Amino acid sequence: MTGNQPEDPEDQALLAFLHAQRDAVLSIVAGLDEEAWHRSVVPSGWTPAGLVEHLGGAERHWFQGVVAGSDAELPWDEGLPPYDPEAAFVCDRPSAEVIGYYRDQCARSDAVLAVTPLSAPPRGRHGDPEMDEPPSVRWVVLH
């Protein structure tokens, strides 16, 4: 983890579980060749590349956008279709590029978390009209 550790043991545990989940994602896809990286083996149609790209975008949306209130766009987003929760997540980018993107977004999330108490309210908005806005950073981490 980067930055300052929170003093509250529950906050420490929550952040440790977040890091463990991220590590688990990377260990699951470690060693896949490029063909397997882009092949779906599940009924949803998701590919490993699409899943990891989606998780990078989720890190960016929730921690940089919702928690920190940033609305900065990335060149990565150019040409992507609008978010469709019903669509299969696929991606044609090489594994090294997507994994690099995911790691970068996780590091940026950690930088936000290092200066933001988990009890704080988010400074941005999720923006889903079907969902209440998150009440705290802790809720975002749990999500």
Side-chain angles (χ1 to χ4, degrees):
M1 284 185 252
T2 61
N4 298 325
Q5 275 282 92
E7 291 183 24
D8 183 322
E10 286 188 22
D11 289 355
Q12 291 173 2
L14 182 58
L15 295 177
F17 275 100
L18 174 63
H19 287 271
Q21 289 295 311
R22 291 170 176 163
D23 289 344
V25 166
L26 293 173
S27 69
I28 288 167
V29 299
L32 288 178
D33 62 33
E34 288 300 313
E35 182 183 335
W37 179 250
H38 296 288
R39 182 178 58 240
S40 175
V41 295
V42 293
S44 67
W46 286 40
T47 63
L51 172 66
V52 176
E53 179 185 54
H54 173 72
L55 291 174
E59 288 275 346
R60 188 172 135 242
H61 168 74
W62 285 105
F63 292 107
Q64 295 169 57
V66 176
V67 172
S70 171
D71 60 0
E73 292 293 319
L74 291 176
W76 185 271
D77 293 336
E78 290 177 17
L80 288 180
Y83 177 72
D84 178 358
E86 302 296 318
F89 286 92
V90 297
C91 171
D92 61 0
R93 292 183 173 89
S95 58
E97 190 176 327
V98 176
I99 290 170
Y101 169 72
Y102 177 65
R103 288 178 192 259
D104 180 61
Q105 296 312 305
C106 290
R108 290 171 186 252
S109 297
D110 287 343
V112 169
L113 289 168
V115 297
T116 310
L118 297 186
S119 60
R123 294 191 299 198
R125 296 181 46 78
H126 175 50
D128 183 341
E130 310 241 340
M131 181 178 161
D132 290 337
E133 290 297 322
S136 67
V137 175
R138 179 177 283 101
W139 186 99
V140 173
V141 174
L142 284 167
H143 178 71

